[in-house]
Amino acid sequence: MSLALAPIDMNVDLEANLPCRKFDPDLWFSDSPAQLELAKSLCGDCPLRAECLAGAVDRAEPWGVWGGEIFERGAVVARKRPRGRPRKVDVARDAELAVEVEERLAANGLESRNSVRLAA
């Protein structure tokens, strides 16, 4: 098992106001889809977002929000679904979010389907 981490930009102050350091860490590992979406949005301006995402992909993080993406069983998912049968509107939204995940991974220099397994 590799614990490889992405290289950290040493120009970034590690004591900066990183969202995962400022807010409750449990937010990034919540069971609530709404709280996970909030955590994703807080990652948006983080200076270490790309490194965090790359490290999580390398480690196949089992769950949580890493680099602005939700991981579930080692795969990036568009959003966490609540329990029960999904509504038709949610199924359509999932298709849109899958495209968004692909675009975000490409923007961070990751080959989406080749380097990250997307959960169905």
Side-chain angles (χ1 to χ4, degrees):
M1 180 170 149
S2 171
L3 293 178
L5 298 174
I8 293 177
D9 182 357
M10 297 312 285
N11 296 326
V12 174
D13 180 14
L14 294 180
E15 296 300 319
N17 289 328
L18 302 176
C20 57
R21 305 282 187 209
K22 276 176 47 176
F23 295 93
D24 182 8
D26 290 339
L27 182 64
W28 277 259
F29 300 97
S30 175
D31 288 327
S32 164
Q35 288 185 340
L36 292 176
E37 290 301 321
L38 174 59
K40 279 175 54 174
S41 71
L42 292 172
C43 291
D45 296 328
C46 181
L48 297 178
R49 186 173 144 201
E51 292 88 354
C52 180
L53 178 59
V57 168
D58 288 345
R59 294 186 305 273
E61 283 292 340
W63 65 296
V65 174
W66 297 89
E69 300 296 340
I70 298 174
F71 282 75
E72 181 89 21
R73 293 184 293 263
V76 174
V77 295
R79 68 180 182 88
K80 184 171 177 122
R81 294 183 183 142
R83 292 183 152 206
R85 184 176 180 187
R87 290 179 276 175
K88 290 179 183 178
V89 179
D90 292 338
V91 173
R93 175 95 172 114
D94 285 349
E96 292 173 11
L97 289 173
V99 171
E100 182 182 334
V101 166
E102 294 288 332
E103 291 170 355
R104 285 186 183 190
L105 291 172
N108 285 307
L110 298 171
E111 294 180 26
S112 58
R113 299 252 179 217
N114 295 333
S115 63
V116 178
R117 179 180 55 88
L118 292 176

PDB file of all heavy atoms in Angstrom, residues 82-97:
ATOM      1  N   PRO A  82     -28.496  10.184  -0.475  1.00  0.00           N
ATOM      2  CA  PRO A  82     -29.106   9.740   0.778  1.00  0.00           C
ATOM      3  C   PRO A  82     -29.650   8.326   0.599  1.00  0.00           C
ATOM      4  O   PRO A  82     -29.767   7.833  -0.520  1.00  0.00           O
ATOM      5  CB  PRO A  82     -30.232  10.748   1.012  1.00  0.00           C
ATOM      6  CG  PRO A  82     -30.502  11.346  -0.315  1.00  0.00           C
ATOM      7  CD  PRO A  82     -29.242  11.232  -1.126  1.00  0.00           C
ATOM      8  N   ARG A  83     -30.005   7.681   1.693  1.00  0.00           N
ATOM      9  CA  ARG A  83     -30.552   6.328   1.627  1.00  0.00           C
ATOM     10  C   ARG A  83     -31.899   6.319   0.923  1.00  0.00           C
ATOM     11  O   ARG A  83     -32.619   7.297   0.931  1.00  0.00           O
ATOM     12  CB  ARG A  83     -30.709   5.758   3.027  1.00  0.00           C
ATOM     13  CG  ARG A  83     -29.408   5.501   3.686  1.00  0.00           C
ATOM     14  CD  ARG A  83     -29.637   4.871   5.027  1.00  0.00           C
ATOM     15  NE  ARG A  83     -28.462   4.064   5.312  1.00  0.00           N
ATOM     16  CZ  ARG A  83     -28.447   3.030   6.094  1.00  0.00           C
ATOM     17  NH1 ARG A  83     -29.545   2.658   6.704  1.00  0.00           N
ATOM     18  NH2 ARG A  83     -27.349   2.362   6.295  1.00  0.00           N
ATOM     19  N   GLY A  84     -32.227   5.197   0.318  1.00  0.00           N
ATOM     20  CA  GLY A  84     -33.520   5.051  -0.348  1.00  0.00           C
ATOM     21  C   GLY A  84     -33.405   5.191  -1.849  1.00  0.00           C
ATOM     22  O   GLY A  84     -32.329   5.407  -2.409  1.00  0.00           O
ATOM     23  N   ARG A  85     -34.531   5.044  -2.505  1.00  0.00           N
ATOM     24  CA  ARG A  85     -34.586   5.124  -3.964  1.00  0.00           C
ATOM     25  C   ARG A  85     -34.438   6.583  -4.405  1.00  0.00           C
ATOM     26  O   ARG A  85     -35.121   7.465  -3.895  1.00  0.00           O
ATOM     27  CB  ARG A  85     -35.917   4.571  -4.445  1.00  0.00           C
ATOM     28  CG  ARG A  85     -36.044   4.518  -5.919  1.00  0.00           C
ATOM     29  CD  ARG A  85     -37.340   3.860  -6.305  1.00  0.00           C
ATOM     30  NE  ARG A  85     -37.452   3.822  -7.746  1.00  0.00           N
ATOM     31  CZ  ARG A  85     -38.522   3.428  -8.374  1.00  0.00           C
ATOM     32  NH1 ARG A  85     -39.573   3.023  -7.692  1.00  0.00           N
ATOM     33  NH2 ARG A  85     -38.558   3.425  -9.673  1.00  0.00           N
ATOM     34  N   PRO A  86     -33.555   6.842  -5.381  1.00  0.00           N
ATOM     35  CA  PRO A  86     -33.372   8.230  -5.824  1.00  0.00           C
ATOM     36  C   PRO A  86     -34.563   8.721  -6.635  1.00  0.00           C
ATOM     37  O   PRO A  86     -35.213   7.951  -7.345  1.00  0.00           O
ATOM     38  CB  PRO A  86     -32.110   8.169  -6.692  1.00  0.00           C
ATOM     39  CG  PRO A  86     -32.032   6.767  -7.148  1.00  0.00           C
ATOM     40  CD  PRO A  86     -32.650   5.931  -6.063  1.00  0.00           C
ATOM     41  N   ARG A  87     -34.845  10.013  -6.501  1.00  0.00           N
ATOM     42  CA  ARG A  87     -35.900  10.624  -7.308  1.00  0.00           C
ATOM     43  C   ARG A  87     -35.378  10.807  -8.731  1.00  0.00           C
ATOM     44  O   ARG A  87     -34.175  10.876  -8.969  1.00  0.00           O
ATOM     45  CB  ARG A  87     -36.290  11.970  -6.711  1.00  0.00           C
ATOM     46  CG  ARG A  87     -37.022  11.797  -5.393  1.00  0.00           C
ATOM     47  CD  ARG A  87     -37.373  13.123  -4.827  1.00  0.00           C
ATOM     48  NE  ARG A  87     -36.186  13.577  -4.099  1.00  0.00           N
ATOM     49  CZ  ARG A  87     -36.057  14.743  -3.527  1.00  0.00           C
ATOM     50  NH1 ARG A  87     -37.025  15.619  -3.594  1.00  0.00           N
ATOM     51  NH2 ARG A  87     -34.966  15.063  -2.886  1.00  0.00           N
ATOM     52  N   LYS A  88     -36.283  10.899  -9.706  1.00  0.00           N
ATOM     53  CA  LYS A  88     -35.896  11.053 -11.110  1.00  0.00           C
ATOM     54  C   LYS A  88     -35.061  12.314 -11.319  1.00  0.00           C
ATOM     55  O   LYS A  88     -34.134  12.321 -12.116  1.00  0.00           O
ATOM     56  CB  LYS A  88     -37.128  11.086 -12.000  1.00  0.00           C
ATOM     57  CG  LYS A  88     -37.839   9.757 -12.088  1.00  0.00           C
ATOM     58  CD  LYS A  88     -39.062   9.843 -12.957  1.00  0.00           C
ATOM     59  CE  LYS A  88     -39.790   8.521 -12.969  1.00  0.00           C
ATOM     60  NZ  LYS A  88     -41.011   8.582 -13.757  1.00  0.00           N
ATOM     61  N   VAL A  89     -35.387  13.359 -10.590  1.00  0.00           N
ATOM     62  CA  VAL A  89     -34.635  14.606 -10.702  1.00  0.00           C
ATOM     63  C   VAL A  89     -33.181  14.381 -10.261  1.00  0.00           C
ATOM     64  O   VAL A  89     -32.251  14.907 -10.859  1.00  0.00           O
ATOM     65  CB  VAL A  89     -35.290  15.709  -9.833  1.00  0.00           C
ATOM     66  CG1 VAL A  89     -34.519  17.005  -9.916  1.00  0.00           C
ATOM     67  CG2 VAL A  89     -36.725  15.898 -10.211  1.00  0.00           C
ATOM     68  N   ASP A  90     -32.996  13.570  -9.219  1.00  0.00           N
ATOM     69  CA  ASP A  90     -31.657  13.291  -8.725  1.00  0.00           C
ATOM     70  C   ASP A  90     -30.834  12.503  -9.738  1.00  0.00           C
ATOM     71  O   ASP A  90     -29.627  12.721  -9.867  1.00  0.00           O
ATOM     72  CB  ASP A  90     -31.714  12.514  -7.402  1.00  0.00           C
ATOM     73  CG  ASP A  90     -32.272  13.344  -6.258  1.00  0.00           C
ATOM     74  OD1 ASP A  90     -32.228  14.585  -6.356  1.00  0.00           O
ATOM     75  OD2 ASP A  90     -32.742  12.743  -5.278  1.00  0.00           O
ATOM     76  N   VAL A  91     -31.464  11.590 -10.461  1.00  0.00           N
ATOM     77  CA  VAL A  91     -30.766  10.800 -11.472  1.00  0.00           C
ATOM     78  C   VAL A  91     -30.248  11.724 -12.576  1.00  0.00           C
ATOM     79  O   VAL A  91     -29.093  11.607 -13.015  1.00  0.00           O
ATOM     80  CB  VAL A  91     -31.679   9.689 -12.043  1.00  0.00           C
ATOM     81  CG1 VAL A  91     -31.012   8.994 -13.209  1.00  0.00           C
ATOM     82  CG2 VAL A  91     -32.040   8.694 -10.952  1.00  0.00           C
ATOM     83  N   ALA A  92     -31.071  12.672 -13.003  1.00  0.00           N
ATOM     84  CA  ALA A  92     -30.647  13.636 -14.034  1.00  0.00           C
ATOM     85  C   ALA A  92     -29.514  14.510 -13.504  1.00  0.00           C
ATOM     86  O   ALA A  92     -28.545  14.788 -14.204  1.00  0.00           O
ATOM     87  CB  ALA A  92     -31.826  14.494 -14.468  1.00  0.00           C
ATOM     88  N   ARG A  93     -29.613  14.935 -12.256  1.00  0.00           N
ATOM     89  CA  ARG A  93     -28.573  15.765 -11.647  1.00  0.00           C
ATOM     90  C   ARG A  93     -27.260  14.986 -11.544  1.00  0.00           C
ATOM     91  O   ARG A  93     -26.185  15.539 -11.742  1.00  0.00           O
ATOM     92  CB  ARG A  93     -29.025  16.240 -10.269  1.00  0.00           C
ATOM     93  CG  ARG A  93     -27.991  17.003  -9.493  1.00  0.00           C
ATOM     94  CD  ARG A  93     -28.143  18.483  -9.667  1.00  0.00           C
ATOM     95  NE  ARG A  93     -27.243  19.170  -8.751  1.00  0.00           N
ATOM     96  CZ  ARG A  93     -26.233  19.898  -9.160  1.00  0.00           C
ATOM     97  NH1 ARG A  93     -26.019  20.078 -10.437  1.00  0.00           N
ATOM     98  NH2 ARG A  93     -25.446  20.481  -8.296  1.00  0.00           N
ATOM     99  N   ASP A  94     -27.334  13.701 -11.234  1.00  0.00           N
ATOM    100  CA  ASP A  94     -26.127  12.873 -11.161  1.00  0.00           C
ATOM    101  C   ASP A  94     -25.370  12.861 -12.485  1.00  0.00           C
ATOM    102  O   ASP A  94     -24.141  12.893 -12.499  1.00  0.00           O
ATOM    103  CB  ASP A  94     -26.475  11.437 -10.760  1.00  0.00           C
ATOM    104  CG  ASP A  94     -26.800  11.310  -9.289  1.00  0.00           C
ATOM    105  OD1 ASP A  94     -26.554  12.277  -8.537  1.00  0.00           O
ATOM    106  OD2 ASP A  94     -27.302  10.242  -8.897  1.00  0.00           O
ATOM    107  N   ALA A  95     -26.100  12.803 -13.579  1.00  0.00           N
ATOM    108  CA  ALA A  95     -25.459  12.809 -14.898  1.00  0.00           C
ATOM    109  C   ALA A  95     -24.726  14.130 -15.116  1.00  0.00           C
ATOM    110  O   ALA A  95     -23.595  14.142 -15.611  1.00  0.00           O
ATOM    111  CB  ALA A  95     -26.493  12.582 -15.993  1.00  0.00           C
ATOM    112  N   GLU A  96     -25.338  15.243 -14.722  1.00  0.00           N
ATOM    113  CA  GLU A  96     -24.691  16.551 -14.846  1.00  0.00           C
ATOM    114  C   GLU A  96     -23.451  16.633 -13.951  1.00  0.00           C
ATOM    115  O   GLU A  96     -22.413  17.153 -14.365  1.00  0.00           O
ATOM    116  CB  GLU A  96     -25.659  17.667 -14.456  1.00  0.00           C
ATOM    117  CG  GLU A  96     -26.810  17.852 -15.405  1.00  0.00           C
ATOM    118  CD  GLU A  96     -27.829  18.863 -14.877  1.00  0.00           C
ATOM    119  OE1 GLU A  96     -27.535  19.560 -13.890  1.00  0.00           O
ATOM    120  OE2 GLU A  96     -28.912  18.951 -15.464  1.00  0.00           O
ATOM    121  N   LEU A  97     -23.561  16.126 -12.732  1.00  0.00           N
ATOM    122  CA  LEU A  97     -22.440  16.186 -11.800  1.00  0.00           C
ATOM    123  C   LEU A  97     -21.284  15.287 -12.233  1.00  0.00           C
ATOM    124  O   LEU A  97     -20.125  15.604 -11.987  1.00  0.00           O
ATOM    125  CB  LEU A  97     -22.903  15.826 -10.387  1.00  0.00           C
ATOM    126  CG  LEU A  97     -23.784  16.880  -9.729  1.00  0.00           C
ATOM    127  CD1 LEU A  97     -24.330  16.355  -8.398  1.00  0.00           C
ATOM    128  CD2 LEU A  97     -23.032  18.170  -9.513  1.00  0.00           C
TER     129      LEU A  97
END
